[in-house]
């Protein structure tokens, strides 16, 4: 994680932005971020792993595509040299214009409706979107060495991957472009206008659209806390209720397995504890 002084230096040198305020955003699974003000305008900076640079740039292009489809989204800001991202020692950094308004509260039923509806609208708008950086979402490797971090991790990951494989063989799933990490804090709503949208499109890839919904449900605290989120999505998204009912439990289990995999790889005990508790409930 870069310190504020280093981040300010990169923003100044690469984007010619001098933040007067710099506030860390809540952590999400695939990246970290900051909200900042410069020259009277608001921006969001996102930092992801260097290996995800192509996917991050696909997400930035997806955000631009959404704007063209009249869906509010954070507009990517190019560097002084015209690049979409900059590689720093801690990963790959991108900057987007901050949508007006506040971030959604994943615990609030009304905000959950907005959250699900916007995710569904994003999925619809990205049908037909193409970018060279889009890659199929990769499932964790059950044979990876870091899964020896704790005795239960390997079996849990292998079980989740096996369940998804069986699902994709037996069920017809709807595939498309994924947001990648649709936490409630990634979506903003402007109370003055009622307009809402994603601050960014994550490290976009392709896969079953219900995987994005499962990621959102995980952020909401599980299916028992996400009824309005799912209802909002079904009202706006391209996936049927029958498909969501069949696929959501399996892909939610995969999402928790991804958390276990990443936590084991990055030696994060808190993430492993959270993943273990959730996988126990979903297995």
């Amino acid at each position: 994680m870069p310190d504020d002084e280093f981040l300010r230096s990169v923003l100044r040198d690469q984007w010619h932005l001098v933040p007067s305020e710099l506030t860390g955003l809540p952590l999400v699974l695939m990246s970290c971020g900051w909200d900042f003000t410069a020259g009277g305008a608001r921006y969001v900076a996102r930092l992801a792993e260097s290996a995800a640079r192509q996917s991050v740039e696909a997400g930035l292009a997806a955000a631009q595509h959404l704007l063209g489809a009249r869906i509010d989204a954070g507009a990517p800001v190019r560097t002084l040299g015209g690049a979409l991202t900059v590689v720093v020692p801690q990963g790959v950094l991108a900057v987007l214009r901050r949508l007006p308004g506040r971030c959604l509260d994943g615990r609030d039923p009304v905000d959950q409706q907005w959250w699900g509806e916007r995710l569904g609208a994003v999925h619809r708008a990205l049908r037909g979107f193409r970018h060279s950086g889009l890659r199929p979402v990769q499932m964790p490797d059950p044979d990876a060495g870091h899964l020896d971090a704790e005795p239960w991790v390997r079996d849990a990951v292998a079980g989740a991957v096996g369940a998804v494989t069986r699902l994709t063989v037996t069920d017809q799933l709807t595939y498309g472009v994924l947001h990648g990490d649709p936490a409630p804090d990634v979506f903003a709503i402007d109370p003055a206008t009622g307009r809402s949208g994603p601050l960014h499109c994550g490290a976009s890839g392709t896969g079953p659209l219900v995987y994005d919904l499962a990621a959102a449900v995980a952020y909401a605290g599980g299916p028992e806390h996400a009824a309005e989120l799912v209802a909002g999505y079904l009202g706006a998204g391209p996936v049927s209720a029958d498909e969501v009912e069949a696929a959501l439990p399996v892909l939610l289990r995969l999402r928790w397995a991804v958390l276990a995999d990443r936590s084991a790889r990055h030696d994060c005990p808190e993430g492993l504890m959270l993943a273990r508790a959730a996988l126990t409930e979903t297995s």
Side-chain angles (χ1 to χ4, degrees):
M1 180 80 70
D3 59 33
D4 283 3
E5 183 178 350
F6 179 79
L7 184 59
R8 288 175 183 275
S9 174
V10 174
L11 292 172
R12 182 185 64 248
D13 294 345
Q14 297 292 334
W15 279 274
H16 199 54
L17 294 172
V18 181
S20 57
E21 299 177 19
L22 193 62
T23 305
L25 295 172
L27 289 176
V28 293
L29 182 58
M30 309 303 289
S31 65
C32 57
W34 298 263
D35 200 342
F36 69 94
T37 302
R42 292 184 69 187
Y43 301 88
V44 171
R46 301 298 308 182
L47 180 72
E49 295 179 353
S50 296
R53 185 176 190 179
Q54 288 185 316
S55 296
V56 169
E57 294 196 350
L60 295 169
Q64 196 67 56
H65 179 88
L66 292 176
L67 290 167
R70 303 190 179 212
I71 292 181
D72 288 356
V77 180
R78 291 185 178 270
T79 67
L80 296 174
L84 283 170
T85 59
V86 169
V87 175
V88 295
Q90 299 85 358
V92 58
L93 188 68
V95 173
L96 305 98
R97 293 192 179 275
R98 171 68 156 80
L99 293 179
R102 62 171 178 83
C103 292
L104 296 181
D105 181 350
R107 300 164 298 179
D108 181 270
V110 175
D111 277 14
Q112 278 201 14
Q113 282 276 350
W114 282 108
W115 184 10
E117 189 276 335
R118 283 294 83 185
L119 182 59
V122 165
H123 282 171
R124 283 195 179 276
L126 291 178
R127 289 187 297 186
F129 171 71
R130 301 287 183 270
H131 189 275
S132 60
L134 288 174
R135 298 288 186 272
V137 170
Q138 296 295 310
M139 289 193 288
D141 177 8
D143 296 322
H146 61 264
L147 298 185
D148 289 329
E150 292 190 13
W152 61 271
V153 178
R154 189 178 303 281
D155 286 346
V157 169
V161 170
V164 172
T165 301
R166 291 190 294 274
L167 174 71
T168 55
V169 168
T170 58
D171 288 73
Q172 183 95 26
L173 300 182
T174 304
Y175 284 73
V177 178
L178 303 176
H179 178 282
D181 209 11
D185 314 281
V186 168
F187 292 79
I189 183 168
D190 185 355
T193 63
R195 296 180 66 87
S196 63
L199 299 177
H200 66 90
C201 281
S204 290
T206 58
L209 294 181
V210 180
Y211 181 69
D212 253 359
L213 180 59
V217 168
Y219 279 118
E224 65 276 15
H225 303 292
E228 297 301 322
L229 164 63
V230 174
Y233 180 83
L234 289 173
V239 182
S240 71
D242 287 345
E243 181 180 339
V244 168
E245 183 178 3
L248 182 57
V250 178
L251 294 174
L252 181 59
R253 184 179 173 188
L254 176 64
R255 181 66 174 188
W256 289 119
V258 169
L259 174 60
D261 174 75
R262 290 179 63 86
S263 298
R265 180 152 37 101
H266 295 291
D267 191 22
C268 177
E270 296 84 0
L272 284 171
M273 288 177 60
L274 180 60
R276 185 177 188 180
L279 284 165
T280 299
E281 293 180 4
T282 57
S283 298

